[in-house]
Amino acid sequence: MKIAIIGAGNMGGAIARGLASSTKEMTITVSNPTTNKLEKLKAEFSTITTTTDNRTAAKDADIVMLAVKPWL
């Protein structure tokens, strides 16, 4: 299963970390406009794919989670 998480802030990062630590059976891609948070996620979990492009993250994903502020 492919999961895309749009947003790597507190909520998106926590979801990505939880999913990455709980199972190896899914592909997790996290998107964020800046790379600082993405680099931290990648350093913790090398299995997480990161990108700054939301379309790339969501392409071919089975589930897309939005973890951004409502006004964004």
Side-chain angles (χ1 to χ4, degrees), residues 7-68:
N10 291 334
M11 185 61 69
I15 293 169
R17 286 178 181 91
L19 290 173
S21 65
S22 68
T23 183
K24 305 285 188 228
E25 297 178 11
M26 61 182 74
T27 302
I28 303 165
T29 302
V30 181
S31 174
N32 200 62
T34 58
T35 59
N36 186 29
K37 293 177 183 178
L38 295 175
E39 290 169 358
K40 289 180 183 178
L41 273 175
K42 191 70 171 173
E44 288 181 55
F45 296 96
S46 61
T47 58
I48 294 176
T49 304
T50 59
T51 182
T52 56
D53 183 22
N54 294 340
R55 290 180 185 184
T56 300
K59 185 178 181 182
D60 299 325
D62 297 309
I63 297 172
V64 178
M65 300 175 138
L66 296 179
V68 297

